[in-house]
Amino acid sequence: MASIGTVTPQSMFFADALPLQSGAALGDYTLVYETYGTLNAQASNAVLVCHALNASHHVAGVHADAPNSSGWWDNLVGPGKPLDTDKLFVIGVNNPGSCFGSTGPMSPNPDAPGQPYGADFPVVTVEDWVDAQARLLDRLGITQLAAVIGGSLGGMQALAWTLRHPKRVRHCIAIATAPNLSAQNIAFNEVARRAIVTDPDFHGGHYQRHGAVPRRGLRVARMLGHITYLSDDSMDAKFGRTLRGPRPAYSTQEIEFQIESYLRHQADKFSEYFDANTYLLITRALDYFDPARATGGDLGRAFAPAHDNRFLLVSFTTDWRFAPERSREIVKALVDNRIAVSYAEIDAPHGHDAFLLDDPRYHGVLRAYFERVALEASALRLDHARPCPLPSPRGEGPDRHTKP
Amino acid sequence: MASIGTVTPQSMFFADALPLQSGAALGDYTLVYETYGTLNAQASNAVLVCHALNASHHVAGVHADAPNSSGWWDNLVGPGKPLDTDKLFVIGVNNPGSCFGSTGPMSPNPDAPGQPYGADFPVVTVEDWVDAQARLLDRLGITQLAAVIGGSLGGMQALAWTLRHPKRVRHCIAIATAPNLSAQNIAFNEVARRAIVTDPDFHGGHYQRHGAVPRRGLRVARMLGHITYLSDDSMDAKFGRTLRGPRPAYSTQEIEFQIESYLRHQADKFSEYFDANTYLLITRALDYFDPARATGGDLGRAFAPAHDNRFLLVSFTTDWRFAPERSREIVKALVDNRIAVSYAEIDAPHGHDAFLLDDPRYHGVLRAYFERVALEASALRLDHARPCPLPSPRGEGPDRHTKP
């Protein structure tokens, strides 16, 4: 399996404002994106990859000016890899509100000349992102995606595609995700936000105007987030109770345990590159996502629009942030609608982060699924686009397939 | 069951320095404590209650000047209650380093006249607290405790009693506790500490000298702690995804969900009464507790000194901070030593906080155990102090009893 090699981000300007769920609108904006592989003549082999909290459009390959800049899903996307760019045309796009090139809080605010948006950037939701992605596809000449895929918050976007634009996507692959955040999930997000907002360098979100960065808050937010991405067991296996020195130093403020050193290092790195307002926006997008809110809490009814879509859901046994139970809620909602869904519950020790790793069973499930997606894409003529039946992937745990 | 009624804290001054695990010593110091019930003529019916992170000596009853000041374990301790003060003499003591009256970081530093200790208060461990408690018992004329009991960090103290002073205690009741913190536990503590230490009002721990209080950090620490005390399910049952308003307000900084409102309220309250240096000290005491460190990780060997003690361990199914597995590690270590241990795993929905609540099965187990403790205490003559056999309590889950 070869790597994608060097890739170059592209950008697309949109002059028309994007109407938002909140009722506000995002004025003209730019989206940064990358593509891998070749769009076929029928434009039937496009796969959109949706990113999670701190990732970006840079899904695979490396940037020419940064040889160590592998994309965040480079183990999945490339020639001969499970998402095979020899067959599929893969698109990664940075969502508006993020801090990696698309219009976000650090971008110039058209209503305040010479100033960045800062805290005035409008609140964006998963549905808003999906709408922005759909507009990008319009411009790329892609009427219907072969598939949309994402993990965690990216999985929520993949799900939202089938609810907002069901005819514009055939397959939805949603990994390590949930139909909404639990109270505990929201609570963790809120702690992170309070750490950022109450940092004196936050200045109500207009820190750039003050030449400041709320790094203390960002560090705390990242440390906390990081704990929720790992399983208890994997932290014990990796760090345990190992001291940094040969014996306890008996200090309340200095580093004593290896796990503390690791978390502080992760936090320092993160606070150097991530924008605080983006952190607030993205955690809020997570909080708000709740397709069943519009149907009185009935997730089955919420998924009714997706009747012609096909789904693969994947969860990981040790993921306590978005536990398998949450994926099973989605599976049940789809089954209740007699919508085709395959589900793989992977026995993996790495917690939520497992969706980024290359566990062989996990990648085996994705490979098998995408082989069929690619076969279908190559056979498909768009004028009678109708997916053909898929066999069940070979996964762990329960494995359901309806509408054979 | 009557309440204890009005109680008055007492204090005891100790002129001799307390040698600490760190090699340092705590100079002269005061311990604040409360007692409930009457010490019998043989002084054989004393039960020591050890407190956890943010509790104190005020275990039961109310203070005369504050009618709403019920003790933190008032549902357990009182006349006719499971820990029956008609039969047992119960002692609650505030540990040194705390902020409720015993000598701690807010107390005058003898080495810096006119200044509080602040960050210069020495690091204290679970073992140091147990030694301080033992000195208090000396002064109260109690040679041997009928029992020591505690939950969470208090349970660690109860365990440490049997390792440091095994002949001075007959029964150890350790609830919702662990033989040490996992890497994840330490990580959560570290996030809380970083929030406090990096608060600009912390001033390296000498905030009192600056007339400041690091309330922002304390608030974040408390919110985070609070999440880990509750189960995911109980948070969902109590708060779910309920919005504060009729519909989303689409704000990143304002309160949107009820859970956020609740956590902020808890955090505000906590930051008004709790001392930041105490928070650091107590979380470090949690981190350091690890009786098996001295025996190369062998918890069985660590418990060898407790060969004549009797144990009751209790855990709660939904406690993910100190999960039942952690209690079972202790049970195994005791069984390996052929030490008498009863274990009850209570099916309760409330997470770690369950140890403070009055679940009937939980309190039933404690009542049964303490009835025997009291019976034994009343029958016992200290010159041939040897506990009599105890039947197993009626608890949930596995229930082991050795040395019949």
Side-chain angles (χ1 to χ4, degrees):
Chain A
M1 290 183 291
S3 172
I4 290 274
T6 303
V7 294
T8 306
Q10 303 166 69
S11 67
M12 187 85 78
F13 175 75
F14 297 81
D16 290 345
L18 182 73
L20 304 173
Q21 291 264 302
S22 65
L26 179 62
D28 59 48
Y29 60 98
T30 297
L31 296 182
V32 174
Y33 65 101
E34 288 180 9
T35 67
Y36 323 101
T38 308
L39 189 63
N40 65 16
Q42 299 84 13
S44 66
N45 68 334
V47 176
L48 177 67
V49 177
C50 304
H51 71 77
L53 200 148
N54 64 323
S56 72
H57 54 282
H58 182 40
V59 175
V62 293
H63 290 158
D65 53 351
N68 291 323
S69 63
S70 280
W72 57 272
W73 231 348
D74 193 70
N75 61 26
L76 186 71
V77 176
K81 293 185 180 177
L83 222 172
D84 189 349
T85 51
D86 287 339
K87 300 172 184 168
L88 296 163
F89 177 68
V90 178
I91 307 154
V93 53
N94 190 216
N95 289 322
S98 182
C99 51
F100 297 110
S102 292
T103 301
M106 299 174 83
S107 306
N109 182 353
D111 295 333
Q115 297 291 347
Y117 275 105
D120 296 329
F121 193 86
V123 168
V124 282
T125 65
V126 166
E127 288 79 6
D128 296 331
W129 288 334
V130 164
D131 291 353
Q133 292 158 5
R135 285 189 175 189
L136 176 66
L137 298 188
D138 292 341
R139 299 277 285 274
L140 296 176
I142 297 164
T143 311
Q144 190 186 50
L145 289 164
V148 58
I149 180 173
S152 191
L153 175 58
M156 292 176 172
Q157 294 162 59
L159 295 173
W161 261 94
T162 69
L163 307 182
R164 281 184 89 70
H165 308 290
K167 292 189 189 313
R168 296 200 62 180
V169 57
R170 292 193 295 278
H171 294 275
C172 168
I173 297 99
I175 304 166
T177 195
N180 59 35
L181 294 199
S182 68
Q184 188 190 67
N185 293 148
I186 296 173
F188 279 124
N189 280 348
E190 175 68 0
V191 177
R193 281 191 295 263
R194 294 311 289 166
I196 290 169
V197 167
T198 64
D199 183 331
D201 281 329
F202 183 68
H203 296 286
H206 293 295
Y207 41 88
Q208 279 179 278
R209 297 182 193 172
H210 292 79
V213 176
R215 285 213 178 84
R216 288 175 291 249
L218 272 170
R219 286 192 191 104
V220 168
R222 179 56 168 178
M223 289 173 84
L224 177 54
H226 209 89
I227 297 173
T228 70
Y229 305 148
L230 304 179
S231 72
D232 195 7
D233 284 351
S234 66
M235 282 180 105
D236 272 337
K238 196 164 173 187
F239 306 103
R241 298 182 43 81
T242 310
L243 293 167
R244 200 159 72 150
R247 62 189 64 81
Y250 295 103
S251 165
T252 55
Q253 297 183 38
E254 299 306 313
I255 290 174
E256 187 75 293
F257 295 90
Q258 292 285 10
I259 179 65
E260 298 170 344
S261 175
Y262 172 78
L263 285 178
R264 289 198 201 183
H265 175 70
Q266 294 294 329
D268 287 344
K269 274 202 312 187
F270 186 74
S271 73
E272 294 297 320
Y273 75 81
F274 208 82
D275 177 57
N277 282 312
T278 291
Y279 204 93
L280 304 184
L281 286 166
I282 296 192
T283 55
R284 264 304 188 221
L286 276 160
D287 292 354
Y288 286 131
F289 182 70
D290 189 6
R293 185 180 288 279
T295 54
D298 185 336
L299 193 64
R301 274 175 55 215
F303 271 101
H307 50 81
D308 280 338
N309 296 123
R310 287 166 172 275
F311 290 79
L312 169 66
L313 275 90
V314 181
S315 71
F316 301 95
T317 49
T318 57
D319 182 354
W320 61 278
R321 186 182 173 94
F322 293 146
E325 290 80 357
R326 305 311 314 275
S327 282
R328 283 189 229 121
E329 290 176 42
I330 303 166
V331 171
K332 181 180 184 306
L334 295 169
V335 169
D336 287 349
N337 279 293
R338 304 192 58 74
I339 293 170
V341 53
S342 298
Y343 174 53
E345 201 168 300
I346 307 287
D347 189 3
H350 305 100
H352 188 59
D353 260 2
F355 89 86
L356 295 168
L357 306 177
D358 61 356
D359 179 282
R361 283 167 297 188
Y362 163 45
H363 272 200
V365 167
L366 292 182
R367 179 181 293 278
Y369 200 90
F370 276 110
E371 274 170 9
R372 295 299 174 141
V373 168
L375 204 63
E376 180 186 289
S378 69
L380 205 71
R381 298 181 132 211
L382 275 181
D383 50 353
H384 45 89
R386 180 83 193 138
C388 59
L390 284 182
S392 298
R394 295 177 300 278
E396 292 285 314
D399 197 4
R400 298 203 188 104
H401 199 79
T402 58
K403 263 196 187 174
Chain B
M1 292 181 289
S3 172
I4 289 275
T6 303
V7 294
T8 306
Q10 302 166 68
S11 67
M12 188 85 78
F13 175 74
F14 297 80
D16 289 344
L18 182 73
L20 304 173
Q21 292 263 302
S22 65
L26 179 61
D28 60 48
Y29 60 97
T30 297
L31 295 183
V32 174
Y33 65 100
E34 288 181 9
T35 68
Y36 323 100
T38 308
L39 188 64
N40 65 15
Q42 297 84 14
S44 66
N45 69 333
V47 176
L48 177 68
V49 177
C50 304
H51 71 76
L53 200 148
N54 64 322
S56 72
H57 53 282
H58 182 42
V59 175
V62 292
H63 290 158
D65 54 350
N68 292 323
S69 62
S70 279
W72 57 271
W73 232 347
D74 193 70
N75 61 26
L76 185 71
V77 177
K81 293 185 180 177
L83 222 172
D84 189 348
T85 51
D86 288 337
K87 299 172 183 166
L88 296 163
F89 177 68
V90 178
I91 307 154
V93 53
N94 190 216
N95 289 323
S98 182
C99 52
F100 297 110
S102 292
T103 300
M106 300 174 82
S107 307
N109 182 351
D111 295 333
Q115 297 291 347
Y117 274 105
D120 295 329
F121 194 86
V123 167
V124 282
T125 64
V126 167
E127 289 79 5
D128 296 332
W129 288 334
V130 164
D131 290 353
Q133 292 158 4
R135 284 189 176 189
L136 176 66
L137 297 187
D138 292 341
R139 299 276 285 274
L140 296 176
I142 297 164
T143 311
Q144 189 187 50
L145 289 165
V148 59
I149 180 173
S152 190
L153 176 58
M156 291 176 172
Q157 293 162 60
L159 295 173
W161 262 94
T162 70
L163 307 182
R164 282 185 88 69
H165 308 289
K167 292 191 188 312
R168 296 200 61 179
V169 58
R170 292 193 296 276
H171 295 273
C172 168
I173 298 97
I175 305 166
T177 195
N180 59 37
L181 294 200
S182 69
Q184 188 190 67
N185 292 148
I186 296 173
F188 279 125
N189 280 348
E190 175 67 0
V191 177
R193 281 191 296 263
R194 294 311 289 166
I196 290 170
V197 167
T198 63
D199 183 331
D201 282 329
F202 183 69
H203 296 287
H206 293 294
Y207 40 88
Q208 279 179 279
R209 298 181 192 173
H210 291 79
V213 176
R215 285 214 176 82
R216 288 175 291 248
L218 272 169
R219 286 192 191 104
V220 168
R222 179 56 168 178
M223 290 173 83
L224 177 54
H226 210 89
I227 298 173
T228 70
Y229 305 148
L230 305 178
S231 72
D232 196 6
D233 285 351
S234 66
M235 283 180 103
D236 272 337
K238 197 165 173 185
F239 305 104
R241 297 183 43 82
T242 311
L243 293 166
R244 200 159 74 150
R247 62 190 65 83
Y250 295 102
S251 165
T252 55
Q253 297 184 37
E254 298 307 312
I255 289 174
E256 188 75 292
F257 294 90
Q258 292 286 10
I259 179 65
E260 298 171 344
S261 174
Y262 171 79
L263 285 178
R264 289 199 201 183
H265 175 69
Q266 295 293 329
D268 287 345
K269 273 202 311 188
F270 187 74
S271 73
E272 294 297 320
Y273 74 81
F274 208 83
D275 178 58
N277 282 312
T278 291
Y279 203 93
L280 304 184
L281 286 166
I282 295 191
T283 54
R284 265 301 189 222
L286 276 160
D287 292 354
Y288 286 131
F289 182 70
D290 190 5
R293 186 179 287 280
T295 54
D298 185 337
L299 193 64
R301 273 175 55 214
F303 271 100
H307 50 80
D308 281 337
N309 296 123
R310 288 165 173 274
F311 290 78
L312 169 65
L313 275 91
V314 181
S315 70
F316 301 95
T317 49
T318 57
D319 182 354
W320 60 280
R321 187 183 173 94
F322 292 145
E325 290 79 356
R326 305 310 315 274
S327 283
R328 282 189 229 121
E329 290 176 41
I330 303 166
V331 171
K332 180 179 184 309
L334 295 169
V335 169
D336 287 349
N337 279 293
R338 305 193 57 74
I339 293 170
V341 53
S342 298
Y343 173 54
E345 200 167 301
I346 307 288
D347 189 3
H350 304 100
H352 188 60
D353 259 2
F355 88 87
L356 296 168
L357 306 177
D358 60 355
D359 180 282
R361 284 167 296 188
Y362 165 45
H363 272 201
V365 168
L366 291 182
R367 179 180 292 278
Y369 200 91
F370 276 110
E371 274 171 9
R372 295 299 174 144
V373 169
L375 204 64
E376 180 186 290
S378 69
L380 205 70
R381 298 183 133 206
L382 276 181
D383 50 353
H384 45 89
R386 179 84 193 137
C388 58
L390 284 181
S392 298
R394 296 177 299 277
E396 293 284 315
D399 198 3
R400 298 200 189 109
H401 199 80
T402 58
K403 261 196 186 174

